[in-house]
Amino acid sequence: MATLVLTAVGTVVGGPIGGAIGSLIGSQIDGSLFGPADREGPRLQELSVTTSSYGTPVPRHFGTMRAAGSIIWATDLVESSEENGGGKGQPSVTTFSYSSSFAVALSSRPIASVGRIWADGNLLRGAAGDLKVGGTFRLYNGYADQQSDPLIAADRGAQCPAFRGLAYCVFEDLQLADFGNRIPTLTFEVIADDGEVSLQSILAVTQPDAAITPRLAGLQGYSDQGGALHGTIDAVDRVYPVACDASGSRLEFFDAHPMSPPVVRLPEPAIDGSRESFGSVSGRASQRRAEMDRVPDGLRYYDVDRDYQAGLQRAGGRAQAGRSRIVEFPGALDATKARKLADDAADRAGWSQERLSYRIAELDPALGPGRVVSVPGKPGKWRIETWEWRENGLELELLRLPYLRSAQVVSDAGDALSPKDAVAGPTKLTAFEAPWDGIGAADQRQVYAAASSTTSGWTGATLYAERAGSLTPIGASGSRRSITGRLVAPLPPSGALFIDRHATLELELDSSDFVMLSALPEDLANGANRALVGNEILQFCLAESLGNGRWRLSGLLRGRGGTELDAYSGCEAGSPFCLLDSKPVALDAAKLGDAISVAAIGLADSEPVIAPIIASGRSLRPLMPVHPKADPVSDGGLALGWQRRARGAWQWPQAVETPLNEQTERYEVGIGDPDRPSRIWEATSNSLTLDTATTAQIRAEFAGSDLWVRQVGTHGLSEPLFLTTIS
């Protein structure tokens, strides 16, 4: 009833906005008389996600808020396929993926930017502006001069709107594989304004000339879902008390519970001699209700520390018996501020049950609706709720304000299962050919790609065989980062016979969060802690972190996997390092072909990352023989011998002959430069005897030259083994 009366009166006095104010005041009176529902304010939309339906209002956002938005344009899904596998003896698998382009309306007022974006609850876009999947993101801030999006214009032609006055974003070719090949449900961190939200900004569109002074302290975001103006003011008033006055030349909004002292002290009450009104002789009448169920028990809000999920703070820090009213406020707050607002709302509701009717004879210009005054004989502050001219004076309806404001108590927002926001860094790539491990076909290259990145947000890369600038897809790296880096100092040469307990290797890894573990010598015998350093494969016992991604390795076992000659040469500073664990990816030899370089393209790579294959051809090359012998015979000849090794046979079991693993057993024995030998012999076993005449001839012609042997394999020659120097 009071709502209808005061709406009509307000409309007469202040026009439509006066009617809105009257409705606001009247609804407060009606709520006090008839009792409000258990929940107050616009219901928080904690499960709201992106939709696409006609007639859905686009809210106005202030400060920083998490909002869903409405899809306003979309294309059909675009299908792409990729064939994997199909190597020798393996079936091929065709994988289909889909992408889509679409636009989402975010706010019906301009915004500054968009921060994080959540898709199906996971991060699609991080705080640094990086998309976690493939695609392109564009934002249109909603200003009056914004142009049409070129992608939408290409689809809609001359009918394409620019959506001026509407903030929206466009996703182009967003990859949907991580979302079940469908457009995911999205929510956006909309950054409309910097700093705290003000009542001035909320009401600026409808009331540009109003005097608006209340400060909404601690309010970091607010969403106006539309509707009548008085609904917006009423929603704010439940948490931040707002008073308004339309009696002057312009509408004025001010704090209804100010910290400042009362504007005026009321005079003594006027007496009504007719005895027909309240308090006829005294000129005052008080009323107090003790209905604690009308006091709000808590405040629901959007908690900024929980990624803007709905939070609840109880007045007094705990639920009160007999109270179940919850104030719902569509604003973004931290937990401590929300607790303070909940306490203040409960205090105001408790104290406001004391009302006072008071009559004065004259109207002071300082008085007006919403002003705070003091009353003779009554302590504390009183707010003028209503005033009415009568023949016997001016009758005021006063509302008691809390005597003291509640203290601010630090409160906890609770745990939030926030998705990790790791920025995808550029791809680091090391490609190498490893010695054959004895598994699978002996005539296929064993090339590995060790893809990595400087950040944990890296999600993998697509791998390609690179031939003269042409890229051929050969698979994916997976999302696990290989441990890679570079030598800080040179690694000196080594005889590669025993564990060197004195030599150390210092390196800088590509990411500071990489961790390497130590191992016992017994573990090294089982293949632990294998690493590629330059061209050499070695193992290490101790790994010591030096901080900032630097490590010192010691207890080195050098020249593993047939890389003794590389150990003899040592490694210079800057040589690549790669831990040979399970993370490097084996590449399909059939797809790789004869390529000598591998390329990778990840989410954060603007150009392909190309790496030459280290030790290309190593897996097909036979191993250098060992255990050389050169013994003179009694007739003046020379008996040469050696022990063969076999690719893929890395154990030396007793009483078992070393396997051949080549089509035939053949060797070359030569004199001088192995690439341009001065003399050469062929052998079909692991020994060769030079007769007396031959021995005498080479001693005469090649004195001081080296005699060596190398194995002739199916696909190439081994490194030469030194046998003796001709003397």
Short mmCIF file of all heavy atoms in Angstrom, two decimals, residues 349-373:
data_model
loop_
_atom_site.label_atom_id
_atom_site.label_comp_id
_atom_site.label_asym_id
_atom_site.label_seq_id
_atom_site.Cartn_x
_atom_site.Cartn_y
_atom_site.Cartn_z
N ALA A 349 19.17 -3.53 10.28
CA ALA A 349 17.85 -4.13 10.38
C ALA A 349 17.41 -4.27 11.83
O ALA A 349 16.23 -4.10 12.15
CB ALA A 349 17.85 -5.49 9.69
N GLY A 350 18.36 -4.58 12.71
CA GLY A 350 18.00 -4.70 14.12
C GLY A 350 17.63 -3.36 14.75
O GLY A 350 16.61 -3.23 15.43
N TRP A 351 18.45 -2.35 14.49
CA TRP A 351 18.18 -1.03 15.07
C TRP A 351 16.97 -0.36 14.42
O TRP A 351 16.27 0.43 15.06
CB TRP A 351 19.41 -0.13 14.92
CG TRP A 351 20.51 -0.45 15.88
CD1 TRP A 351 21.44 -1.42 15.77
CD2 TRP A 351 20.76 0.21 17.12
NE1 TRP A 351 22.29 -1.42 16.84
CE2 TRP A 351 21.90 -0.42 17.70
CE3 TRP A 351 20.17 1.28 17.81
CZ2 TRP A 351 22.43 -0.03 18.93
CZ3 TRP A 351 20.71 1.68 19.02
CH2 TRP A 351 21.82 1.03 19.58
N SER A 352 16.71 -0.67 13.15
CA SER A 352 15.63 0.02 12.45
C SER A 352 14.25 -0.40 12.95
O SER A 352 13.24 0.18 12.53
CB SER A 352 15.71 -0.24 10.95
OG SER A 352 15.47 -1.61 10.67
N GLN A 353 14.18 -1.39 13.83
CA GLN A 353 12.88 -1.75 14.39
C GLN A 353 12.40 -0.73 15.41
O GLN A 353 11.26 -0.79 15.87
CB GLN A 353 12.98 -3.14 15.04
CG GLN A 353 13.28 -4.23 14.01
CD GLN A 353 13.22 -5.61 14.59
OE1 GLN A 353 12.15 -6.08 14.96
NE2 GLN A 353 14.37 -6.26 14.68
N GLU A 354 13.26 0.19 15.74
CA GLU A 354 12.84 1.30 16.61
C GLU A 354 12.56 2.52 15.73
O GLU A 354 13.44 3.02 15.05
CB GLU A 354 13.94 1.64 17.63
CG GLU A 354 13.52 2.73 18.60
CD GLU A 354 14.55 2.98 19.68
OE1 GLU A 354 15.54 2.22 19.74
OE2 GLU A 354 14.37 3.94 20.46
N ARG A 355 11.29 2.96 15.77
CA ARG A 355 10.85 4.10 14.96
C ARG A 355 10.26 5.17 15.86
O ARG A 355 9.77 4.88 16.97
CB ARG A 355 9.83 3.66 13.91
CG ARG A 355 10.41 2.73 12.86
CD ARG A 355 9.35 2.23 11.90
NE ARG A 355 9.94 1.42 10.84
CZ ARG A 355 10.40 1.89 9.69
NH1 ARG A 355 10.30 3.19 9.44
NH2 ARG A 355 10.93 1.10 8.80
N LEU A 356 10.28 6.38 15.35
CA LEU A 356 9.80 7.51 16.14
C LEU A 356 9.02 8.46 15.25
O LEU A 356 9.51 8.88 14.19
CB LEU A 356 11.00 8.25 16.76
CG LEU A 356 10.69 9.49 17.60
CD1 LEU A 356 9.88 9.13 18.84
CD2 LEU A 356 11.98 10.20 18.01
N SER A 357 7.77 8.75 15.66
CA SER A 357 6.98 9.79 14.99
C SER A 357 7.19 11.10 15.75
O SER A 357 7.06 11.14 16.98
CB SER A 357 5.49 9.41 14.98
OG SER A 357 5.29 8.22 14.27
N TYR A 358 7.51 12.15 15.01
CA TYR A 358 7.94 13.39 15.65
C TYR A 358 7.36 14.57 14.89
O TYR A 358 7.39 14.60 13.66
CB TYR A 358 9.48 13.44 15.65
CG TYR A 358 10.10 14.38 16.63
CD1 TYR A 358 10.46 13.95 17.89
CD2 TYR A 358 10.37 15.71 16.28
CE1 TYR A 358 11.07 14.81 18.80
CE2 TYR A 358 10.97 16.58 17.17
CZ TYR A 358 11.31 16.13 18.43
OH TYR A 358 11.90 16.98 19.33
N ARG A 359 6.81 15.53 15.67
CA ARG A 359 6.17 16.70 15.04
C ARG A 359 6.98 17.95 15.36
O ARG A 359 7.38 18.16 16.50
CB ARG A 359 4.74 16.86 15.55
CG ARG A 359 3.97 17.99 14.87
CD ARG A 359 2.65 18.27 15.55
NE ARG A 359 1.87 17.07 15.74
CZ ARG A 359 1.60 16.54 16.94
NH1 ARG A 359 2.08 17.13 18.02
NH2 ARG A 359 0.86 15.46 17.06
N ILE A 360 7.24 18.76 14.31
CA ILE A 360 7.89 20.05 14.51
C ILE A 360 7.01 21.12 13.89
O ILE A 360 6.19 20.85 13.00
CB ILE A 360 9.31 20.08 13.91
CG1 ILE A 360 9.26 19.79 12.41
CG2 ILE A 360 10.22 19.09 14.62
CD1 ILE A 360 10.62 19.87 11.73
N ALA A 361 7.21 22.34 14.37
CA ALA A 361 6.33 23.43 13.91
C ALA A 361 6.83 24.06 12.63
O ALA A 361 6.03 24.54 11.82
CB ALA A 361 6.22 24.48 15.01
N GLU A 362 8.14 24.10 12.40
CA GLU A 362 8.68 24.76 11.23
C GLU A 362 9.61 23.82 10.48
O GLU A 362 10.26 22.95 11.08
CB GLU A 362 9.45 26.02 11.63
CG GLU A 362 8.58 27.09 12.29
CD GLU A 362 9.39 28.33 12.64
OE1 GLU A 362 10.64 28.30 12.42
OE2 GLU A 362 8.80 29.29 13.13
N LEU A 363 9.69 24.01 9.18
CA LEU A 363 10.56 23.19 8.34
C LEU A 363 11.91 23.86 8.19
O LEU A 363 12.02 24.98 7.70
CB LEU A 363 9.94 22.98 6.96
CG LEU A 363 10.81 22.19 5.96
CD1 LEU A 363 11.08 20.78 6.47
CD2 LEU A 363 10.14 22.14 4.60
N ASP A 364 12.95 23.18 8.63
CA ASP A 364 14.33 23.67 8.46
C ASP A 364 14.78 23.32 7.05
O ASP A 364 14.61 22.20 6.58
CB ASP A 364 15.23 22.99 9.50
CG ASP A 364 16.61 23.61 9.55
OD1 ASP A 364 17.15 23.97 8.48
OD2 ASP A 364 17.16 23.73 10.66
N PRO A 365 15.39 24.26 6.30
CA PRO A 365 15.86 23.95 4.93
C PRO A 365 16.85 22.80 4.88
O PRO A 365 16.99 22.16 3.84
CB PRO A 365 16.50 25.27 4.48
CG PRO A 365 15.85 26.31 5.32
CD PRO A 365 15.57 25.69 6.65
N ALA A 366 17.54 22.53 6.01
CA ALA A 366 18.51 21.43 6.02
C ALA A 366 17.85 20.07 6.11
O ALA A 366 18.49 19.05 5.89
CB ALA A 366 19.49 21.61 7.18
N LEU A 367 16.55 20.06 6.47
CA LEU A 367 15.86 18.80 6.61
C LEU A 367 15.30 18.34 5.27
O LEU A 367 15.00 19.15 4.40
CB LEU A 367 14.72 18.93 7.63
CG LEU A 367 15.12 19.30 9.06
CD1 LEU A 367 13.89 19.40 9.93
CD2 LEU A 367 16.10 18.27 9.61
N GLY A 368 15.17 17.04 5.13
CA GLY A 368 14.63 16.47 3.92
C GLY A 368 14.65 14.96 4.03
O GLY A 368 15.27 14.39 4.95
N PRO A 369 13.98 14.27 3.15
CA PRO A 369 13.96 12.82 3.20
C PRO A 369 15.38 12.24 3.15
O PRO A 369 16.21 12.66 2.35
CB PRO A 369 13.16 12.43 1.95
CG PRO A 369 12.35 13.63 1.64
CD PRO A 369 13.16 14.80 2.05
N GLY A 370 15.66 11.31 4.04
CA GLY A 370 16.96 10.64 4.08
C GLY A 370 18.00 11.33 4.92
O GLY A 370 19.05 10.74 5.18
N ARG A 371 17.73 12.56 5.40
CA ARG A 371 18.73 13.27 6.21
C ARG A 371 18.80 12.66 7.60
O ARG A 371 17.81 12.15 8.13
CB ARG A 371 18.40 14.75 6.29
CG ARG A 371 18.28 15.44 4.95
CD ARG A 371 19.57 15.38 4.16
NE ARG A 371 19.45 16.03 2.85
CZ ARG A 371 20.43 16.10 1.97
NH1 ARG A 371 21.60 15.55 2.24
NH2 ARG A 371 20.24 16.70 0.80
N VAL A 372 20.00 12.74 8.18
CA VAL A 372 20.23 12.18 9.50
C VAL A 372 20.21 13.31 10.52
O VAL A 372 20.90 14.33 10.34
CB VAL A 372 21.58 11.42 9.55
CG1 VAL A 372 21.85 10.89 10.95
CG2 VAL A 372 21.55 10.26 8.55
N VAL A 373 19.42 13.11 11.58
CA VAL A 373 19.25 14.15 12.59
C VAL A 373 19.43 13.53 13.96
O VAL A 373 19.51 12.31 14.12
CB VAL A 373 17.84 14.79 12.47
CG1 VAL A 373 17.65 15.44 11.10
CG2 VAL A 373 16.75 13.76 12.72
#
